Amino acid sequence: MRHASFGILSAALLLASSAQAADVAAGKAKAEICAGCHGDNGISQTENIPSLAGQLDQFIQWQLVFFRAGARKNEQMQPIVEQLTNDDIRNLGAYFASLAPFKGGKDDNPELSEKGKQAAAGRRCASCHTDTFVGTKAVARIAGQREEYLVKALHDYKSGVRSGGAQAAMADVAYPLSDEEITALAHYLSHL
């Protein structure tokens, strides 16, 4: 717990010092190690790995700090983020935010998307992720995200497997979702 608290304090200090300009070029160079999983230009081609292109700067920074502090756990991310400095994190956030996000492809199941749209309205997803689901500040962009990743993330929030960040708020939202609602919601959001 102490380690996680230090990580959160570290994140607050990192973001407070964000007045120092981030170096997008340095972020791009540092992101070469990310491309193996998160894809070239931040567009993931790997199942259950999120795309990072177009994610908000603060969201990326917070998630990297949560991983680095151990508040958010992932076996593949841990050894990578342990090596990141605060400047690296700031630069990576700026770099991924500067990239054009993936635009959802042609919707092959509009009926499922309509059910997902209703689930999003019923769970008030837009109250945090905005009406267009592009996120704001430290809240994730979920529009155009990989469909199977969204399913996995919602199941992880629902079961309590995922921690760090907005875990409490997302657990409250995800817990009452049925498997059918999760599938529909992920389909809808991935095609925006």
Side-chain angles (χ1 to χ4, degrees):
M1 179 68 175
R2 188 172 188 218
H3 190 62
S5 296
F6 176 74
I8 293 169
L9 176 61
S10 175
L13 293 173
L14 172 67
L15 292 173
S17 68
S18 286
Q20 175 185 348
D23 183 341
V24 173
K28 181 177 182 176
K30 186 57 91 171
E32 287 178 14
I33 194 168
C34 309
C37 295
H38 295 283
D40 292 331
N41 296 315
I43 305 292
S44 173
Q45 302 299 313
T46 307
E47 188 172 329
N48 290 321
I49 304 290
S51 290
L52 301 178
Q55 279 294 354
L56 291 119
D57 187 355
Q58 283 185 6
F59 176 77
I60 295 286
Q61 288 187 51
W62 274 103
Q63 296 310 304
L64 289 172
V65 169
F66 288 140
F67 280 124
R68 186 175 69 181
R72 184 168 175 200
K73 302 195 182 313
N74 180 286
E75 291 178 17
Q76 290 76 31
M77 288 291 296
Q78 238 59 55
I80 295 167
V81 296
E82 287 173 353
Q83 308 302 314
L84 296 178
T85 66
N86 286 350
D87 283 338
D88 292 336
I89 289 172
R90 193 174 10 264
N91 296 339
L92 285 166
Y95 169 66
F96 285 115
S98 75
L99 299 175
F102 179 76
K103 297 290 184 197
K106 184 178 184 308
D107 190 347
D108 59 346
N109 192 339
E111 188 176 306
L112 185 60
S113 283
E114 185 56 37
K115 290 178 183 175
K117 184 177 183 179
Q118 291 169 4
R123 300 292 178 215
R124 300 187 339 263
C125 299
S127 64
C128 293
H129 293 279
T130 74
D131 291 341
T132 56
F133 303 103
V134 296
T136 181
K137 298 182 183 177
V139 177
R141 172 190 187 86
I142 53 178
Q145 188 54 267
R146 292 185 60 89
E147 186 169 349
E148 84 287 340
Y149 175 75
L150 291 169
V151 168
K152 178 188 182 319
L154 287 167
H155 279 292
D156 287 352
Y157 279 122
K158 180 176 180 158
S159 68
V161 169
R162 184 164 174 178
S163 60
Q167 195 277 330
M170 282 303 302
D172 284 346
V173 169
Y175 184 76
L177 290 171
S178 69
D179 287 345
E180 293 78 20
E181 287 176 307
I182 288 174
T183 299
L185 188 55
H187 184 80
Y188 167 64
L189 294 169
S190 71
H191 288 87
L192 293 178

